[in-house]
Amino acid sequence: MSAKKNRPSPATKTRRAASKRPAPVIRPAIKRDAPSVSGARSASTPGTQALCKEIALLRESVSALVGRSQIGVTADEVSALRRVLADILESRMLTVLQKLAAIRHAVPLDASEVVGRMDALLDELGAVSFTAERLEHLDPVIHEVGREVRDGHLPDGVIAATLRPGWRTANGQILARCLVSLNRRA
Amino acid sequence: MARLGIDYGTTNTVVVCADRGRYPLVPQVVDTAVGRVVRETFPSMITFDKLTREYRFGAEAERALVEPGAGDRYIPFRSFKRLLRDYTDGGRFGNEWIEGGLDLRDALTQFATAVKASIRRSALFPADEPMDVVLTWPANANGAQRHVTRNCFRDAGFQIRSTLNEPSAAAIELADRLVHGDRTQARKVRAAAAVFDLGGGTFDASVVRIEGQDYTVLASAGIERLGGDDFDEALARLFADRLNIVYDGLSHFQQTLLLMHACREKERLSLGTVRQLTLDPEELGLTGPLCRIPTAVYEKKLTELMTPAIEKLAEVMTQAGYDPAKSDSRVLDAIYLVGGSSRLPLAGKMVTRRFPGIRVLTTDKPFSATAMGAAIHGSEAVRVNDVFSRQFGLIRLAHHGSQEIFSPVFAAGVRLPEREGPPVTCSASYVPRHNIGHLRFLECTTVDGNGYPSDGVRRWSEILFPYDPALPLNAAISPADITARDDLQSPVTETYSCDADGIITVTITRGSDGQSRTFEIFRP
């Protein structure tokens, strides 16, 4: 753990990259496809606040670069940096995000205030929400049936309403499927 | 050349690639109404469309099941891989629902082709780049399963560099994990670990000694039918009991939907966020109130199911020379929990309780650890020295033909040859007592105290060989032609050869005229 602390944080690396010159070769600081257990621990033990601060700094760095895009930073470089940010967020936070999404899933449908707060936290941590369109066909990849309704005016097997939005990471990994009500014709 | 590790699992298939010293997961890209989303795994489920007589794979197979009228149109095979355990030449499946059934080998080849297409869709590799693959399979997979899996992936266009037992691949990933992904340090790791691999369909336990780039499997065994699928079924049956319906009375389609729901509830339990598991019967087209099962009830059932796995691990540790009762953690560095089902908190608790003095590590990559180990094996100079985890032998006639006995050829624990090295061989000579030899090969997980196969018995192909020199080697003979002969004096020699993939051939030579014939013991 001590060796880890001595290393510059991803945020510091990005700030340095931004201050030296635009468009350095950006290598994601992640090691692996999925977050490590140690990564998940570091998110909770020093405190989520510290991590949120780190994320905020990263976002600022990206925004700063976007702001400077007229003075030499190309769109490709900005999008590369955005990808790095998404990678870092996902590698550091995926387990936390998944757990958070799972807890949210366990909250009853009528507890909208609790869900609202958790949604705000997911948003803060960089996750992206999505909803389902009415009359859309059910897709088990992104939708989950929370309730079934019987509406004779709607076709069978289509979505009647979104009960709770779904969440995914910036890289497109589904954290929580969108909870929908599904129309079933008797 | 794309170098990949593929873990073809019972419920999920995972692909990891080697990329300049890093081993990222190859995501499955799925187009949805909210844009492209990525998944870590490619579901191993296949669905057969009765209308078009075509298969659907992965996410498309799951999507088919929610289409209106899906129950009449589609036949889902959720754990298709389990069918491979009973594979025989020309094997078919689904006879209950489709007249004549479906060709198992053809279905697996099409599945492998779909996996390949999914890899291409990830856009990580140029369209025409060949795919060089290390393929994994359960340590206790039988020879037929290994043979058909390897051939089908090859037929799908993958170049099979080598194959690897899943726990051995997990051990390679463990070394990487111990040094936080520093490959330079991973090449210097020295440790001994027991791998507890609880996947979707099978359980494997292996004790592996890691010495730098050399991985030696000291002992290995498994349970053919124990994994997440069984845990899902246990929960599905609990739901059915609560709803006062007979699980076995449900249609195959309804059972599949119930199992998929049970799997999702189990996932929630794995994340440790629920106190009860729920089912809305309307999802299955049934009526009734919301069904709730306390997690304690389900965990009691899981404890019963997992106990044999824990005992199997203890057995393997004992075979490898580690006494689990002493719990000497200085000798065995860790027990490593891998496989999707090892995410269940109960798995870790039970292992810790059974082996209190040994460090228990749960993988942080429950789905991709095996594929990552395979990818490392394929791109670095990692040497794995594996062992037979099953008994292989044949039924012979003893006592002048009055009694049948099981004669082991390669016993469990016999070391498999290195990939570039010579095969492991074994010979037997005898004077025949019949004009024709009828060799009935089989393999099993264990033999009982009397030396008879007792568990996980799988028949291999049978061979008829003319001992009588008057019969040509290629004569059309059948068991009905066998007669007792006491005038044959020259011995017959059987020489068995096993390659690095555990695939066995036998050469039978009759001493009377020196003629011999080589058989692949399993010939799909």
Side-chain angles (χ1 to χ4, degrees):
Chain A
M1 283 306 263
S2 58
K4 267 193 163 181
K5 277 180 185 170
N6 292 335
R7 284 187 209 145
S9 70
T12 318
K13 280 183 182 172
T14 316
R15 278 201 304 277
R16 280 181 192 163
S19 61
K20 279 180 187 169
R21 60 180 197 80
V25 178
I26 299 163
R27 290 182 186 281
I30 54 165
K31 285 176 187 160
R32 205 64 55 217
D33 48 292
S36 67
V37 166
S38 57
R41 261 203 306 273
S42 66
S44 56
T45 45
T48 314
Q49 279 184 340
L51 195 64
C52 285
K53 203 179 272 182
E54 196 175 305
I55 292 163
L57 283 169
L58 276 164
R59 282 185 168 162
E60 277 173 29
S61 305
V62 175
S63 302
L65 268 183
V66 173
R68 287 167 51 195
S69 61
Q70 289 172 345
I71 54 167
V73 183
T74 67
D76 282 352
E77 288 157 358
V78 172
S79 67
L81 197 58
R82 282 211 165 107
R83 280 201 302 277
V84 173
L85 175 64
D87 281 349
I88 293 167
L89 281 173
E90 231 169 273
S91 66
R92 296 288 302 274
M93 294 300 296
L94 191 60
T95 308
V96 176
L97 288 169
Q98 282 172 335
K99 290 226 171 195
L100 194 57
I103 294 166
R104 177 179 170 277
H105 187 278
V107 176
L109 269 174
D110 51 2
S112 54
E113 193 185 338
V114 179
V115 173
R117 285 185 186 179
M118 296 182 94
D119 283 356
L121 187 54
L122 282 166
D123 182 53
E124 184 70 20
L125 294 172
V128 182
S129 72
F130 61 91
T131 55
E133 295 291 326
R134 188 177 154 84
L135 296 180
E136 209 174 89
H137 282 284
L138 184 75
D139 181 351
V141 177
I142 52 170
H143 302 141
E144 183 178 351
V145 181
R147 190 181 294 155
E148 294 207 345
V149 294
R150 307 243 182 276
D151 186 339
H153 298 101
L154 296 180
D156 187 29
V158 298
I159 291 165
T162 297
L163 302 175
R164 195 180 279 178
W167 287 90
R168 62 185 172 89
T169 65
N171 281 346
Q173 190 158 332
I174 299 292
L175 298 167
R177 294 182 296 165
C178 177
L179 206 62
V180 298
S181 62
L182 187 72
N183 188 53
R184 285 276 185 229
R185 280 194 166 169
Chain B
M1 173 85 70
R3 292 206 165 160
L4 307 170
I6 298 184
D7 174 16
Y8 170 41
T10 307
T11 42
N12 290 300
T13 298
V14 186
V15 184
V16 166
C17 68
D19 178 19
R20 292 161 292 176
R22 294 174 69 235
Y23 296 94
L25 195 133
V26 179
Q28 191 209 355
V29 180
V30 186
D31 289 313
T32 70
V34 295
R36 286 197 154 190
V37 299
V38 295
R39 298 170 111 190
E40 287 184 323
T41 60
F42 185 92
S44 298
M45 186 171 92
I46 70 171
T47 299
F48 181 72
D49 186 341
K50 286 191 274 187
L51 198 66
T52 62
R53 298 195 68 79
E54 287 176 351
Y55 293 106
R56 293 201 190 184
F57 303 99
E60 294 308 317
E62 291 177 347
R63 281 172 162 167
L65 300 189
V66 299
E67 287 179 14
D72 298 327
R73 180 171 173 178
Y74 298 107
I75 305 169
F77 298 96
R78 188 166 165 263
S79 300
F80 170 74
K81 186 184 165 187
R82 277 190 160 180
L83 301 172
L84 301 178
R85 283 189 308 219
D86 298 314
Y87 182 77
T88 51
D89 192 5
R92 301 186 79 77
F93 68 106
N95 300 295
E96 305 94 310
W97 308 288
I98 304 151
E99 200 180 332
L102 300 161
D103 188 314
L104 196 55
R105 185 175 169 150
D106 172 57
L108 181 57
T109 306
Q110 286 197 44
F111 172 81
T113 308
V115 171
K116 193 175 172 211
S118 170
I119 296 168
R120 290 272 183 239
R121 222 169 21 249
S122 73
L124 289 177
F125 316 103
D128 53 351
E129 189 167 6
M131 294 184 189
D132 190 53
V133 166
V134 174
L135 189 63
T136 66
W137 44 45
N140 65 54
N142 62 57
Q145 185 178 344
R146 287 167 192 247
H147 208 114
V148 72
T149 305
R150 186 173 67 171
N151 287 353
C152 288
F153 274 77
R154 188 176 284 156
D155 292 349
F158 290 108
Q159 293 180 12
I160 309 294
R161 167 179 281 259
S162 68
T163 56
L164 203 56
N165 286 342
E166 286 166 7
S168 307
I172 295 172
E173 189 275 331
L174 170 64
D176 186 85
R177 158 100 191 264
L178 291 174
V179 292
H180 306 287
D182 183 338
R183 288 306 310 155
T184 309
Q185 291 302 315
R187 291 179 198 118
K188 298 172 188 166
V189 167
R190 287 179 176 273
V195 177
F196 179 91
D197 183 1
L198 189 56
T202 53
F203 168 73
D204 282 323
S206 292
V207 174
V208 185
R209 193 172 60 225
I210 306 166
E211 289 170 314
Q213 294 286 71
D214 289 305
Y215 292 74
T216 306
V217 180
L218 301 175
S220 183
I223 301 172
E224 265 195 328
R225 197 182 171 87
L226 178 68
D229 278 5
D230 304 291
F231 305 156
D232 296 342
E233 189 179 324
L235 181 56
R237 286 183 182 277
L238 285 174
F239 278 133
D241 287 348
R242 288 285 164 113
L243 292 167
N244 286 322
I245 54 174
V246 182
Y247 175 80
D248 294 317
L250 293 171
S251 70
H252 173 69
F253 190 81
Q254 282 178 316
Q255 278 184 3
T256 304
L257 291 186
L258 182 54
L259 288 169
M260 288 174 74
H261 179 83
C263 182
R264 284 196 294 272
E265 288 298 294
K266 188 189 71 186
E267 289 292 309
R268 290 172 62 209
L269 183 64
S270 299
L271 287 162
T273 55
V274 287
R275 294 194 176 174
Q276 57 185 14
L277 306 159
T278 56
L279 168 71
D280 182 354
E282 284 198 7
E283 275 190 41
L284 304 177
L286 304 167
T287 52
L290 193 68
C291 176
R292 292 187 171 90
I293 291 170
T295 52
V297 172
Y298 182 44
E299 286 191 337
K300 191 178 169 198
K301 192 76 198 163
L302 286 179
T303 305
E304 286 171 27
L305 290 168
M306 282 189 201
T307 301
I310 308 288
E311 291 315 310
K312 185 63 82 177
L313 175 64
E315 190 185 301
V316 168
M317 284 162 68
T318 307
Q319 276 175 23
Y322 298 102
D323 186 351
K326 287 183 184 169
S327 304
D328 190 346
S329 59
R330 285 171 303 172
V331 181
L332 197 63
D333 296 286
I335 297 173
Y336 192 40
L337 269 55
V338 293
S341 302
S342 69
R343 291 192 310 159
L344 284 164
L346 185 67
K349 275 186 210 166
M350 286 180 71
V351 174
T352 308
R353 208 176 299 144
R354 179 70 173 77
F355 311 103
I358 307 176
R359 182 184 177 200
V360 176
L361 279 173
T362 304
T363 180
D364 56 346
K365 298 181 273 296
F367 294 110
S368 60
T370 302
M372 184 177 155
I376 294 172
H377 182 256
S379 69
E380 298 184 18
V382 173
R383 290 171 296 276
V384 177
N385 203 351
D386 222 317
V387 293
F388 264 95
S389 59
R390 295 168 65 88
Q391 314 273 350
F392 171 80
L394 72 159
I395 301 293
R396 289 190 193 281
L397 293 175
H399 309 297
H400 301 281
S402 64
Q403 194 186 350
E404 286 189 335
I405 59 161
F406 175 65
S407 172
V409 175
F410 295 117
V414 168
R415 205 147 284 289
L416 283 167
E418 288 181 25
R419 191 141 298 275
E420 309 301 334
V424 173
T425 57
C426 163
S427 292
S429 273
Y430 51 88
V431 176
R433 299 280 176 190
H434 296 87
N435 62 336
I436 295 166
H438 185 193
L439 310 180
R440 287 164 291 160
F441 294 96
L442 61 85
E443 61 178 21
C444 58
T445 312
T446 49
V447 289
D448 64 16
N450 298 318
Y452 290 108
S454 62
D455 191 25
V457 181
R458 288 283 178 278
R459 285 187 175 279
W460 284 43
S461 49
E462 299 181 359
I463 292 173
L464 288 165
F465 182 83
Y467 292 147
D468 184 351
L471 290 168
L473 286 185
N474 57 358
I477 47 180
S478 74
D481 301 323
I482 299 174
T483 54
R485 292 278 292 272
D486 52 11
D487 59 326
L488 299 173
Q489 302 296 322
S490 302
V492 166
T493 305
E494 295 167 7
T495 303
Y496 295 89
S497 171
C498 174
D499 70 12
D501 290 330
I503 292 169
I504 300 166
T505 56
V506 60
T507 301
I508 308 174
T509 309
R510 53 189 188 196
S512 50
D513 58 5
Q515 289 195 56
S516 66
R517 191 168 169 194
T518 299
F519 301 86
E520 262 188 61
I521 293 181
F522 176 76
R523 291 177 297 168

